Amino acid sequence: IAFQTEYFQIPVVTRAYTTACVLTTAAVQLEVITPFQLYFNPDLIIRRYQIWRVITSFLFFGSLGFSFLFNIIFLYRYCRMLEEGSFRGRTADFVFMFLFGGIVMSLFGLFANIFFLGQAFIIMLVYVWSRRHPLIRMNLFGLLNFQAPFLPWVLMGFSLLLGNSIVVDLLGEKRLCKIWFSFFLCRRMMFDQPEDPDYRPLPRQDEDLQDDEQQN
């Protein structure tokens, strides 16, 4: 019961995405599905209508192990902090950022030849959070102190030391400026309507009744 209560206290977007990633990895681990059914393949998406690959390529982080735990912890931590902080009460905006970022990453994934985009998406979330909190001091394993905006680059260096490719990290970082600019530009165009200088609000009904009483 305590776990259930804690689980449903997680913000809805973070809860849904984290759960989907864990269930996808569990299904692969139990051999219910295989990674070949999940990876990003434009030919199969377009020609064989395997549309689910657009989504599942963001849900799989490899088999159970250190890499999976590392990615899930960062996903849960920074996704939740964004949803409870910068996007508190703005779930629609948060979902819009997810969709827009996912679409842009998928497009660049075509040229970078990346099969699974989940790690790049996590780097995107970390990047957004770090830029929204530039004054926070971070500490890596008690060895390295730095400001929050440098966190994505520190993670990229850590990934490089482990012998991993940094193409995915760069995909999640370098495109964020354009994503954020487009995100706020589209949001302003859709939701922030310019004021009309000739607009005059209609009188309220109670004001009309008061005027009538004064005249009588």
Side-chain angles (χ1 to χ4, degrees):
I1 296 177
F3 173 78
Q4 183 178 2
T5 303
E6 181 64 27
Y7 177 75
F8 284 103
Q9 287 180 349
I10 302 173
V12 59
V13 178
T14 302
R15 183 171 70 238
Y17 186 36
T18 305
T19 301
C21 292
V22 172
L23 292 179
T24 301
T25 301
V28 172
Q29 195 71 20
L30 296 173
E31 298 183 354
V32 177
I33 55 177
T34 69
F36 296 104
Q37 297 172 291
L38 306 175
Y39 75 97
F40 184 70
N41 187 318
D43 289 335
L44 295 178
I45 293 172
I46 297 173
R47 297 180 180 180
R48 298 191 180 181
Y49 308 106
Q50 296 182 5
I51 308 298
W52 67 83
R53 292 179 182 273
V54 176
I55 299 175
T56 56
S57 60
F58 288 93
L59 303 180
F60 184 65
F61 300 108
S63 58
L64 290 177
F66 176 77
S67 178
F68 170 77
L69 292 176
F70 186 83
N71 283 300
I72 285 295
I73 290 172
F74 269 77
L75 165 62
Y76 172 78
R77 176 178 173 82
Y78 291 98
C79 188
R80 180 168 185 170
M81 286 196 296
L82 276 175
E83 191 169 2
E84 291 181 336
S86 301
F87 290 90
R88 177 182 291 274
R90 299 165 52 205
T91 302
D93 287 347
F94 198 46
V95 172
F96 182 83
M97 189 193 77
F98 262 59
L99 295 176
F100 193 73
I103 291 172
V104 172
M105 284 191 178
S106 297
L107 292 176
F108 283 105
L110 294 173
F111 303 100
N113 197 28
I114 299 175
F115 298 125
F116 294 100
L117 300 168
Q119 185 177 348
F121 196 80
I122 292 175
I123 292 295
M124 182 193 82
L125 295 175
V126 172
Y127 185 91
V128 173
W129 178 86
S130 66
R131 300 304 296 180
R132 301 284 290 183
H133 302 83
L135 301 180
I136 292 181
R137 295 283 298 175
M138 307 291 295
N139 182 280
L140 184 67
F141 304 134
L143 301 175
L144 184 63
N145 294 311
F146 52 89
Q147 297 291 118
F150 293 100
L151 177 59
W153 303 101
V154 172
L155 293 178
M156 184 177 66
F158 183 70
S159 179
L160 187 62
L161 288 175
L162 293 177
N164 299 325
S165 173
I166 62 172
V167 175
V168 173
D169 296 341
L170 291 174
L171 178 64
E173 291 177 23
K174 283 192 171 182
R175 308 305 175 188
L176 256 296
C177 293
K178 294 181 180 179
I179 290 175
W180 267 108
F181 175 77
S182 302
F183 169 68
F184 282 112
L185 179 62
C186 291
R187 184 178 183 276
R188 181 173 298 275
M189 292 174 63
M190 289 189 295
F191 300 112
D192 297 341
Q193 299 295 331
E195 295 183 359
D196 185 355
D198 298 327
Y199 172 75
R200 295 293 183 272
L202 293 175
R204 294 185 304 177
Q205 186 176 4
D206 56 349
E207 293 178 350
D208 293 341
L209 292 176
Q210 291 178 1
D211 292 341
D212 292 341
E213 290 177 357
Q214 292 176 357
Q215 291 177 0
N216 293 334

